Amino acid sequence: EKQKKTESSKISNLYVQDMEKKLADYLGTKVHIKKLSNKSKMIVEFYSNDDFERITRKIGLKGTL
């Protein structure tokens, strides 16, 4: 039972790491995914208002600050 949970956790961690890399490549900035006990967080870094707007356009949001 414990070995199944460990293997499942490793697969989940590999999946999260892969998605983190794919998102970072797509968005052109650092992305961090933190798995917490009952929820998770995704952190997308940006370094200026222009960078923020570029990222929001990349994910499909339109508009300006």
Side-chain angles (χ1 to χ4, degrees):
E1 179 74 27
K2 187 175 182 178
Q3 185 177 2
K4 281 185 179 182
K5 284 186 179 183
T6 301
E7 288 175 12
S8 176
S9 179
K10 284 181 185 177
I11 290 170
S12 177
N13 287 340
L14 288 173
Y15 174 75
V16 169
Q17 289 173 353
D18 184 51
M19 291 307 295
E20 195 175 63
K21 182 182 179 333
K22 286 178 180 176
L23 283 164
D25 289 346
Y26 179 73
L27 295 174
T29 193
K30 292 181 182 178
V31 175
H32 306 280
I33 298 172
K34 307 253 186 219
K35 292 193 59 91
L36 305 172
S37 59
N38 62 348
K39 62 181 178 179
S40 298
K41 285 185 179 182
M42 181 171 63
I43 301 165
V44 179
E45 293 186 14
F46 61 93
Y47 307 97
S48 67
N49 287 345
D50 289 341
D51 200 25
F52 178 73
E53 287 200 28
R54 179 190 60 78
I55 293 166
T56 56
R57 280 193 308 272
K58 193 84 170 179
I59 62 174
L61 299 175
K62 307 231 186 306
T64 59
L65 293 176

